[in-house]
């Protein structure tokens, strides 16, 4: 991305990769060992097509692989595909050559029949696959190692959708595409050995794995299996994750509260910060209930004070920025369209707007949240007070994260749910941009703006067109972006080869002797 801020991040990532490469030239990293990784909870599924939850992607990306993925500069790079596709001059036909000799965990060889069956399942099961499906005319096998994908019209986000690691277009054996997924069999560097719900998910090295020959490059390039075993341990309480990291119980602990950073200095753990990481978001139910009325959604936007919410969630401005643009300054997609509606924090004006919109003063506004991401809950408490000052009857529904990801699928169960997202390399990957994503934002204006954006191939023109998308976002308020934030994790000093990333991965990681 052509930005100062992204350039700084990319420089740091490149330096880490160069350092790892230099070390590899002098000595091969130590092979062997087991690491425990503390996650925010139990993933609702191990089927990466069936969920957009980051937790599912973090675990499943070690087991399953996609045709493409993202490099360290967030460009799309090949993974199971041999190279980037050959694209016809009219932008409609993608010819994808597959890598030869790729083996599934069950010992079978991957070919185009597996890819066809997997992409068909993806278009049916995955929300991102459904997003792509309306643009796809056909997928066919040219030969055992070549697939041809034909679009109805040019669709710029296609490769990013195929590369993403949640709601993911993973490649499964042709015989293993049942819904729900019966056997978690992929081509990844690690295979599932055992899952004990609420205790651990045990992944072990897949000896039949064939890494790419090119250098490690973000999520792309060579994926080396230095560790014997990775155990993902659900630890819903954030303070327990911190104390476990401090005690040396976990080699890596994800999503650490920022106020605990001081506890991570020296000894058996250290802080890992990804800056900037992404944005907390209050997703609104546009399909059913109180907030199906756009006027009431605009009133909610007027009522909320993002700075107070961010202070509650992150404490210090070292970890957040008050910013209503969907991408911060320095990103290619940054613009200020519609942002004047953000940051009002004016409950009185919101109360007047609610009265004009016909709010009865008694219907509850149900906010669905979880304490496994502690900043979600803290922001919910502040938001609830501002909304009550605006005259809304607010109900906080606090559940575990797995329950939240299930309950948000039911439009009758909530009015707002709280989540967060990294700054994604392709705006069309943002959840609310998909008609079928919980929140179910569907409108003529959205469709028109997104179609213009998605059918344009020129990056400069696309950047300008995204301004129109953001303008519609603020006019119709399908969600409330609270601001920008930095993510913090904890890592053992003995765990080497880990590059800070939105969805942490542990191929290429190793334990120092």
């Amino acid at each position: 991305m052509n930005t100062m801020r992204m350039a700084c991040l990319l420089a740091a990532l490149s330096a880490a990769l160069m350092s790892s490469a230099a070390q590899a030239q002098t000595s091969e990293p130590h092979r062997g060992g087991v690491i425990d990784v503390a996650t925010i909870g139990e993933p609702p599924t191990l089927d990466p097509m069936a969920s957009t939850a980051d937790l599912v992607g973090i675990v499943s990306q070690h087991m399953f692989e996609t045709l493409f993925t993202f490099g360290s500069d967030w460009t799309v790079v090949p993974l199971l595909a041999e190279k980037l596709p050959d694209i016809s001059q009219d932008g409609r036909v993608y010819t994808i050559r597959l890598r030869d000799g790729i083996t599934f965990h069950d010992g079978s060889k991957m070919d185009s029949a597996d890819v066809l069956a997997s992409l068909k399942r993806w278009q049916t099961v995955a929300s991102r696959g459904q997003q792509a499906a309306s643009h796809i005319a056909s997928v066919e096998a040219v030969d055992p190692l070549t697939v041809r994908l034909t679009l109805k019209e040019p669709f710029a986000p296609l490769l990013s959708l195929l590369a993403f690691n949640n709601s993911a277009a993973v490649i499964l054996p042709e015989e293993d595409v049942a819904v729900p997924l019966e056997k978690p069999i992929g081509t990844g560097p690690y295979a599932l050995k055992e899952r004990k719900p609420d205790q651990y998910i045990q992944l072990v090295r897949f000896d039949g794995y064939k890494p790419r020959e090119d250098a490690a490059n973000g999520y792309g390039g060579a994926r080396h299996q230095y560790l014997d075993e990775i155990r993902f341990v659900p630890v819903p309480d954030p303070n327990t994750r911190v104390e476990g990291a401090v005690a040396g119980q976990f080699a890596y602990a994800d999503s650490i509260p920022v106020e605990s950073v001081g506890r991570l200095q020296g000894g058996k753990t250290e802080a890992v910060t990804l800056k900037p990481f992404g944005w907390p978001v209050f997703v609104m139910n546009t399909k059913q209930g109180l907030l199906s009325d756009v006027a009431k959604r605009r009133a909610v936007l007027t009522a909320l004070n993002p700075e107070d919410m961010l202070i509650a969630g992150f404490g210090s401005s070292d970890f957040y920025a008050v910013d209503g643009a969907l991408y911060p300054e320095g990103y290619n997609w940054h613009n200020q369209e519609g942002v004047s509606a953000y940051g009002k924090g004016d409950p009185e004006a919101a109360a007047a707007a609610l009265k004009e919109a016909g709010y009865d003063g008694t219907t509850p506004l149900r906010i669905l949240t979880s304490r496994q991401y502690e900043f979600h809950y803290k922001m919910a408490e502040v938001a609830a007070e501002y909304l009550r000052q605006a005259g809304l009857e607010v109900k906080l529904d606090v559940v575990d994260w797995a329950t939240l990801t299930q309950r948000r699928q039911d439009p009758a169960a909530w009015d707002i749910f709280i989540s967060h997202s990294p700054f994604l390399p392709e705006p069309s990957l943002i959840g609310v941009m998909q008609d079928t994503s919980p929140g179910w934002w569907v409108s003529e204006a959205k469709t028109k703006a997104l179609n213009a954006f998605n059918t344009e191939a020129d990056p400069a023109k696309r950047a300008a067109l995204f301004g129109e998308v953001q303008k519609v976002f603020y006019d119709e308020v399908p969600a409330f972006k609270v601001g920008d934030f930095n993510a913090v994790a904890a890592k053992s000093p003995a765990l080497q080869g880990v590059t800070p990333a939105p969805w942490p991965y542990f191929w290429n990681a190793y334990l120092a002797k």
Side-chain angles (χ1 to χ4, degrees), residues 172-450:
L172 308 169
E174 181 184 12
E175 301 78 19
D176 189 37
V177 293
V179 180
L181 187 66
E182 295 176 353
K183 300 175 183 178
I185 295 172
T187 61
Y190 290 87
L192 178 68
K193 181 176 181 180
E194 185 177 21
R195 179 183 188 182
K196 287 193 173 182
D198 299 317
Q199 294 186 50
Y200 60 80
I201 296 170
Q202 182 185 22
L203 306 185
V204 296
R205 181 191 291 116
F206 172 43
D207 291 332
Y209 184 69
K210 182 180 180 181
R212 293 188 65 89
E213 295 181 0
D214 39 329
N217 176 19
Y219 292 91
R223 296 181 169 186
H224 296 296
Q225 309 155 281
Y226 298 124
L227 298 168
D228 291 334
E229 184 178 316
I230 306 167
R231 289 192 300 228
F232 291 95
V233 181
V235 185
D237 182 74
N239 293 321
T240 304
R241 290 197 297 277
V242 171
E243 295 308 317
V246 170
Q249 180 182 355
F250 306 121
Y252 192 95
D254 195 26
S255 192
I256 296 299
V258 295
E259 62 268 22
S260 301
V261 169
R263 296 274 294 132
L264 307 178
Q265 304 303 319
K268 296 180 180 180
T269 192
E270 59 191 22
V272 177
T273 302
L274 184 60
K275 178 181 181 178
F277 174 82
W279 45 300
V281 58
F282 282 42
V283 179
M284 304 196 199
N285 185 347
T286 70
K287 184 176 184 178
Q288 187 173 329
L290 187 65
L291 297 185
S292 60
D293 179 355
V294 67
K296 295 185 178 71
R297 297 200 300 274
R298 289 172 183 154
V300 168
L301 173 62
T302 298
L304 295 176
N305 184 312
E307 184 160 19
D308 285 355
M309 295 166 68
L310 290 164
I311 290 171
F314 302 102
S316 167
S317 58
D318 290 342
F319 298 100
Y320 72 82
V322 180
D323 182 12
L326 296 184
Y327 284 84
E329 188 174 352
Y331 279 76
N332 213 31
W333 309 112
H334 174 74
N335 70 87
Q336 291 295 319
E337 292 292 339
V339 175
S340 59
Y342 166 86
K344 301 289 188 184
D346 189 342
E348 291 186 5
L354 285 167
K355 183 177 180 180
E356 186 176 345
Y359 177 60
D360 59 15
T362 60
T363 301
L365 176 72
R366 300 158 299 169
I367 301 178
L368 183 61
T369 190
S370 170
R371 297 200 71 155
Q372 282 162 266
Y373 292 108
E374 187 70 8
F375 67 96
H376 289 190
Y377 177 73
K378 290 179 177 178
M379 290 188 301
E381 288 189 307
V382 174
E385 288 307 309
Y386 273 93
L387 294 170
R388 288 177 182 128
Q389 290 177 37
L392 284 158
E393 184 70 28
V394 180
K395 177 186 176 184
L396 282 184
D397 191 2
V398 185
V399 298
D400 64 85
W401 186 247
T403 299
L404 185 149
T405 61
Q406 293 168 352
R407 194 171 294 179
R408 69 185 181 186
Q409 303 292 332
D410 180 3
W414 57 277
D415 299 299
I416 291 174
F417 80 82
I418 302 176
S419 186
H420 65 269
S421 172
F423 293 115
L424 302 174
E426 164 57 55
S428 292
L429 295 174
I430 297 171
V432 295
M433 300 302 172
Q434 302 158 50
D435 292 354
T436 57
S437 183
W440 305 282
W441 179 34
V442 180
S443 78
E444 184 178 341
K446 172 195 174 182
T447 299
K448 181 180 178 181
L450 271 179

Side-chain angles (χ1 to χ4, degrees), residues 141-169:
V142 177
D143 59 46
L145 289 176
T146 308
V147 171
R148 180 183 296 130
L149 195 153
T150 303
L151 301 177
K152 299 173 184 177
E153 68 281 315
F155 183 57
L158 177 65
L159 289 183
S160 291
L161 288 168
L162 290 172
F164 207 42
N165 76 344
N166 65 48
S167 191

Side-chain angles (χ1 to χ4, degrees), residues 28-52:
E28 180 72 9
H30 172 65
R31 289 178 63 85
V34 177
I35 64 168
D36 285 346
V37 176
T39 64
I40 61 97
E42 181 73 17
T45 178
L46 290 182
D47 182 350
M49 290 192 190
S51 177
T52 59

